[in-house]
């Protein structure tokens, strides 16, 4: 895998400055294309001769993971559901419903840069509702922090823009925010940088933040439709996935490219654990080479544990022998898995699906924009 990462990287290094700024969606697709032909040689109806795991359940995954030191986590909207973050589309209560008075041409316009430049008010109303410090990280966020404290976490790649990984105390250098973050902002005109507190003070007055230097609009560094993914995403994909010795995929439908393709870049002997309410990533049509093979005879390393994210990591912690440490960490942060279960009953079920749908639309627009630049 290390060698396969090298070719796209060398190619990127040899291009001019414009090419260096191309979207990561195209680059990840380039990596995928390199391996796509290999899938046909895999016979899914024949048992694997050299399984990596003793069995394909959470306990066996935990036993293997206990010996690992370069765990990569791929996190989706599901890890934040129990925090009570509002969904986008529920009639009357969804965030888009709150924006109807602004006569948006379509709901997603709030995340389009051209619309934002002419009418930023709807976005900042939304930003106020999603402001990171309004929500408490979930047990899943704290489990990822425990992974770091145990010196096992190589990186967490998150699709979420809620910044709850940071709020949970995970080190910034361990986090890759694939779709950006609220924690930093930049002026659209002069690119002057501003911090979270600068934005907070202004948007909580229902005002529009403007640059102190040039009076341009200041926009949080979350990825809008058509914008390229952060450069850090590309850099860490290259540096991390060849090193990973265990992959945890949690709270994601694996429908959003290029993020969903990342699971195909770990070594063939790297176990992949999916913790999710629904099966995901196991469709050859969607994923091609590298699809998760849980439930198939040819499976060597993939485990699907069906549960909520918080319940799944609690069971994983128990299987790892970390139950007491995990409980102490949650208690020290004032978080309770039981209370989270109660809160889940009041949260719309479609939250994760809507967030994934929005991310998919943004990723698709970003890819189309990069193709135009080519």
């Amino acid at each position: 895998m290390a060698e396969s990462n090298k070719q796209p990287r060398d190619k990127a290094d040899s291009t001019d400055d414009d090419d260096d700024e191309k979207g990561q969606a195209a680059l990840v697709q380039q990596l995928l294309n390199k391996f796509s032909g290999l899938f046909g040689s895999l016979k899914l109806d024949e048992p694997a001769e050299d399984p990596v795991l003793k069995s394909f359940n959470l306990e066996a995954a935990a036993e293997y993971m206990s010996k690992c030191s370069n765990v990569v986590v791929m996190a989706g909207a599901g890890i934040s559901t129990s925090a009570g973050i509002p969904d986008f589309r529920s009639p009357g209560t969804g965030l888009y419903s709150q924006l109807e008075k602004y006569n948006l041409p379509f709901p997603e316009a709030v995340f389009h840069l051209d619309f934002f430049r002419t009418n930023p008010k709807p976005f900042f109303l939304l930003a106020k509702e999603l402001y990171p410090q309004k929500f408490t990280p979930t047990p899943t966020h704290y489990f990822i922090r425990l992974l770091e404290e145990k010196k096992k976490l190589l990186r967490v790649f998150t699709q979420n823009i809620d910044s709850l990984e940071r709020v949970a105390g995970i080190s910034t250098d361990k986090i890759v925010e694939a779709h950006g973050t609220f924690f930093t902002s930049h002026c659209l005109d002069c690119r002057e940088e501003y911090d979270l507190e600068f934005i907070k003070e202004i948007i909580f007055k229902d005002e529009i933040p403007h640059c102190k230097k040039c009076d341009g609009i200041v926009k949080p560094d979350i990825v809008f439709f058509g914008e390229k993914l952060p450069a850090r995403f590309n850099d860490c994909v290259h540096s991390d996935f060849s090193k990973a010795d265990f992959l945890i995929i949690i709270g994601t439908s694996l429908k959003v490219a290029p993020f969903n393709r990342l699971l195909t870049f770990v070594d063939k002997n790297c176990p992949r654990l999916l913790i999710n309410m629904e099966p995901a990533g196991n469709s050859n049509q969607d994923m091609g080479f590298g699809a998760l093979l849980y439930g198939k005879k040819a499976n060597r390393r993939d485990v699907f544990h069906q549960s909520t994210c918080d319940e799944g990591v609690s069971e994983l912690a128990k299987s790892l022998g970390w139950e007491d440490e995990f409980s102490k960490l949650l208690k020290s942060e004032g978080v309770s898995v039981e209370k989270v279960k109660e809160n889940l009953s009041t949260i719309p079920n479609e939250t994760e699906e809507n967030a994934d749908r929005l991310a998919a639309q943004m990723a698709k627009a970003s890819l189309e924009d990069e193709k135009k630049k080519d």
Side-chain angles (χ1 to χ4, degrees), residues 127-140:
K128 182 179 176 181
E129 294 300 319
L130 294 175
Y131 190 78
Q133 295 178 357
K134 291 183 66 174
F135 302 99
T136 300
T138 67
T140 302

Side-chain angles (χ1 to χ4, degrees), residues 2 7 100 158 168 170-171 219 251 308 343:
Q7 181 179 346
E100 287 179 353
T158 178
I170 301 168
S171 300
K219 170 188 161 297
T308 67
N343 292 341

Side-chain angles (χ1 to χ4, degrees), residues 135-255:
F135 302 99
T136 300
T138 67
T140 302
H141 291 98
Y142 287 115
F143 177 80
I144 299 172
R145 174 174 147 187
L146 183 60
L147 281 177
E148 181 183 3
E149 293 177 357
K150 289 284 189 177
K151 300 188 184 306
K152 289 184 174 293
L153 181 67
L154 176 59
R155 207 86 63 190
V156 52
F157 288 75
T158 178
Q159 292 175 278
N160 303 326
I161 61 172
D162 52 41
S163 302
L164 288 182
E165 293 84 7
R166 296 180 185 235
V167 179
I170 301 168
S171 300
T172 304
D173 67 319
K174 293 291 185 181
I175 304 169
V176 175
E177 291 150 324
H179 297 146
T181 176
F182 275 104
F183 260 70
T184 57
S185 301
H186 284 83
C187 171
L188 288 179
D189 296 332
C190 74
R191 304 305 299 164
E192 181 76 5
E193 182 172 318
Y194 293 90
D195 61 20
L196 187 66
E197 291 305 312
F198 173 83
I199 292 289
K200 177 185 177 181
E201 183 178 348
I202 297 172
I203 67 173
F204 273 73
K205 296 178 183 176
D206 291 327
E207 298 174 356
I208 307 300
H210 286 271
C211 179
K212 295 180 179 179
K213 291 181 64 175
C214 73
D215 201 42
I217 300 173
V218 176
K219 170 188 161 297
D221 292 337
I222 66 169
V223 179
F224 273 26
F225 290 105
E227 290 188 301
K228 62 182 181 294
L229 300 186
R232 176 170 165 76
F233 174 82
N234 174 45
D235 294 339
C236 290
V237 165
H238 282 292
S239 67
D240 296 345
F241 279 81
S242 61
K243 298 177 184 175
D245 51 16
F246 196 91
L247 178 65
I248 298 175
I249 308 159
I250 185 164
T252 172
S253 64
L254 291 173
K255 295 292 186 182

